[in-house]
Amino acid sequence: MAGSNVTALFRASTAHSPSYFTLNRAGGAEAGEITDFCIPCNPYFPTPEMFEMLAGRLREILTYYPSGADTITAELCQVLGLNPQTVAMGNGSTELITWIDHLLVRESLAVPVPTFGRWTDQPMETGKRVDMLLLPEAHGFGLDPASFVQFIRSRGSRAAVICNPNNPDGGYLPKQKVIALLDELQDLDLVVVDESFLEFADAEPDPSVAAEAVLRTNVIVLRSLGKNFGLHGVRFGYLVSNPTLAGKVCAALPKWNLNSFAETVVFMLREHRQEYAQSLAQARQDRQEMMWRLSQLPGLTVYPSQGNFLYVRLPEGVDGSVLRDRLLGEHGVLVRECSNKVGSSSRFLRLVIRPQHDVARLMSAMEQVLYGRSVQVPEQPPQPMAPMLSQLPSQAQPQPQPQPEPQGRPQPQTQMQAPAPMLALAQEPVSARGLSPARRPAPNRTAAPSAAPAAALSQAMVPGYTSGTAAVDRLIAGA
């Protein structure tokens, strides 16, 4: 996939990446040519058999009205064991965020950043003050609940949001700490815990605080179905809260806000619970493998994640937007560069967890673009990785055992004229688990001259970050 018309789409976007369909149309590509590490979807669900069932019913799904949301919600609650009076279903979690903002957020909302862009953009679009707590990179972007409470008190925020796991870094706050935070903030108008990616977490059993939300007067838990079920295009999600809050949101939603695809999938779930559970287990296993492989690339820092994605810091001197464009244009690999996320910069990518054969293609592409050659990477970690609760990327980790060099790594599908690498091979390496750079004595740190094209180097990120929204940048600058 090539063409400046494709990469220009990213520069035109302010808050989100261009859609998969937009990229395919602009590049003149056949569907499936792009290997997508951008959109955080479950790659193992629905199963091929389920897709065949949906295809067989396509005509009726597209022809007829769906049932009302109350019917679809009742079935979902039967499957999940929830009380329908405490649940509101929306046309994607974004619709619910919109109504939460309109109905329940008054003058201000506090949120740690970087995080999901709609939690910063939506309240600002309706004239609310958004108080943004910058998560410290030095602490692996981990949220300290006490610091967040202190920040809320100092700003006088009346509502608060946390994403658990957080997007884009996958940071995770243990359940008891979330409950303690809810206790501290019980005087606020509203506290939202966005658990859109919690199904992929394995740090502890039963990590959700949805049961707590039902018992509290000011708490909403938001859950995504499209991300978990691998069906972003269907657009469905739900919230859990006490009946008063849930009822207020339900009353504002349109009668047919859920489409016939959403209804069909929800009524299929009862018969496919085992396949769904297996898909989550496989995604968690793939996360460990992918983290291991990426952590072996020189100069790359990989942060612990409980989501179905990994947040990585690129080596010094690498502009993520240039890397993104070259990965897509030269190798057909789509990644999420994070400079337009408030609190992030062009030094960071978010990479979605995908099957190992796709990861091999990503690794090959990154090696060629960054270093101009393959890097020896062990095929498997020496032992299973334990779930990571800490968000500190500098923790000491076990050293890997030597592994034979992998054979038969797939080559990029798109052949280009020997592009210059973005880095010389003497770049600073990462430690065994990739959680912190390995330090060398200063006299030995001799980097070979970079062969990157001058045009690429001229696009280096200005220090700091931008959100793509001037008003947001002013707020951050004044924080």
Side-chain angles (χ1 to χ4, degrees):
M1 168 170 286
S4 58
N5 58 325
V6 173
T7 55
L9 293 171
F10 291 94
R11 290 185 282 277
S13 176
T14 57
H16 301 281
S17 297
S19 74
Y20 181 91
F21 301 102
T22 299
L23 290 173
N24 265 335
R25 285 193 297 268
E30 294 294 330
E33 179 178 330
I34 299 172
T35 301
D36 179 20
F37 285 88
C38 179
I39 306 301
C41 232
N42 183 344
Y44 300 111
F45 196 84
T47 64
E49 293 75 18
M50 293 177 68
F51 274 117
E52 289 180 8
M53 293 172 63
L54 288 169
R57 300 184 60 185
L58 183 61
R59 185 182 182 90
E60 65 180 86
I61 290 172
L62 295 179
T63 300
Y64 298 107
Y65 273 112
S67 302
D70 53 349
T71 299
I72 305 171
T73 301
E75 174 63 16
L76 180 70
C77 290
Q78 282 285 330
V79 174
L80 301 179
L82 297 171
N83 181 344
Q85 292 184 324
T86 67
V87 175
M89 286 192 70
N91 185 19
S93 58
T94 301
E95 180 180 53
L96 296 173
I97 291 171
T98 301
W99 283 110
I100 288 170
D101 172 53
H102 279 285
L103 300 172
L104 303 174
V105 177
R106 294 194 293 174
E107 73 271 12
S108 59
L109 178 141
V111 58
V113 293
T115 195
F116 179 50
R118 292 312 300 164
W119 284 121
T120 55
D121 297 350
Q122 172 61 43
M124 293 185 66
E125 291 167 6
T126 54
K128 316 289 173 45
R129 189 185 81 237
V130 180
D131 300 324
M132 304 180 203
L133 174 67
L134 188 62
L135 296 172
E137 180 182 343
H139 295 162
F141 301 97
L143 174 63
D144 175 47
S147 297
F148 190 39
V149 171
Q150 183 179 11
F151 175 81
I152 290 169
R153 301 308 181 199
S154 67
R155 296 301 181 96
S157 313
R158 293 307 309 155
V161 174
I162 66 166
C163 295
N164 198 39
N166 192 38
N167 173 12
D169 57 277
Y172 177 75
L173 199 61
K175 180 177 182 177
Q176 289 307 313
K177 289 190 176 183
V178 176
I179 293 174
L181 179 63
L182 298 180
D183 289 339
E184 289 282 348
L185 301 179
Q186 58 186 315
D187 61 307
L188 296 190
D189 297 335
L190 180 69
V191 181
V192 179
V193 182
D194 187 337
E195 296 182 347
S196 290
F197 296 98
L198 195 65
E199 294 282 272
F200 299 99
D202 60 1
E204 58 183 327
D206 189 25
S208 176
V209 295
E212 287 286 329
V214 172
L215 303 175
R216 296 171 182 260
T217 60
N218 70 333
V219 175
I220 286 177
V221 166
L222 189 68
R223 303 296 297 266
S224 170
L225 294 174
K227 299 176 181 67
N228 302 338
F229 296 157
L231 293 168
H232 274 290
V234 173
R235 308 303 303 143
F236 53 173
Y238 67 99
L239 64 78
V240 181
S241 68
N242 71 69
T244 299
L245 290 178
K248 191 169 186 178
V249 175
C250 282
L253 293 170
K255 173 69 174 177
W256 285 293
N257 68 316
L258 302 175
N259 59 58
S260 297
F261 265 115
E263 178 173 13
T264 303
V265 172
V266 167
F267 275 83
M268 291 172 68
L269 293 178
R270 193 187 297 266
E271 303 300 324
H272 297 277
R273 295 183 187 184
Q274 182 177 357
E275 294 97 321
Y276 176 58
Q278 291 170 345
S279 75
L280 296 177
Q282 184 62 57
R284 294 163 187 153
Q285 180 179 328
D286 287 348
R287 179 174 61 211
Q288 295 180 175
E289 168 68 14
M290 184 172 167
M291 182 171 184
W292 171 261
R293 292 172 68 86
L294 286 169
S295 70
Q296 307 305 302
L297 294 182
L300 205 72
T301 301
V302 186
Y303 293 89
S305 174
Q306 285 288 297
N308 64 330
F309 46 81
L310 296 172
Y311 197 50
V312 301
R313 185 179 65 201
L314 297 172
E316 189 71 34
V318 176
D319 183 346
S321 62
V322 178
L323 175 61
R324 174 203 63 209
D325 291 351
R326 289 188 60 178
L327 288 174
L328 180 61
E330 297 168 16
H331 301 276
V333 172
L334 176 63
V335 300
R336 177 62 159 97
E337 182 266 331
C338 293
S339 64
N340 63 357
K341 279 188 171 290
V342 181
S344 185
S345 77
S346 191
R347 281 286 306 278
F348 296 90
L349 301 180
R350 186 194 67 192
L351 301 173
V352 172
I353 305 302
R354 292 198 61 83
Q356 293 187 25
H357 64 274
D358 288 339
V359 176
R361 183 178 180 186
L362 170 70
M363 294 287 292
S364 177
M366 291 186 69
E367 289 164 4
Q368 293 301 320
V369 174
L370 288 175
Y371 316 109
R373 50 163 282 184
S374 297
V375 177
Q376 180 174 344
V377 177
E379 281 298 318
Q380 296 289 339
Q383 58 186 1
M385 298 183 191
M388 298 177 185
L389 290 179
S390 172
Q391 298 306 301
L392 297 179
S394 59
Q395 286 185 316
Q397 301 294 340
Q399 297 294 315
Q401 298 298 319
Q403 297 282 340
E405 184 172 358
Q407 301 295 320
R409 184 186 299 278
Q411 295 300 313
Q413 293 184 6
T414 304
Q415 301 299 318
M416 303 293 293
Q417 288 282 342
M422 297 180 71
L423 287 179
L425 286 176
Q427 278 283 351
E428 183 178 6
V430 292
S431 57
R433 286 287 291 278
L435 302 184
S436 63
R439 302 297 179 188
R440 295 175 179 163
N444 294 331
R445 294 183 64 185
T446 55
S450 173
L457 294 177
S458 68
Q459 299 181 43
M461 183 71 179
V462 176
Y465 60 85
T466 60
S467 66
T469 305
V472 174
D473 297 334
R474 289 196 296 272
L475 276 176
I476 287 291

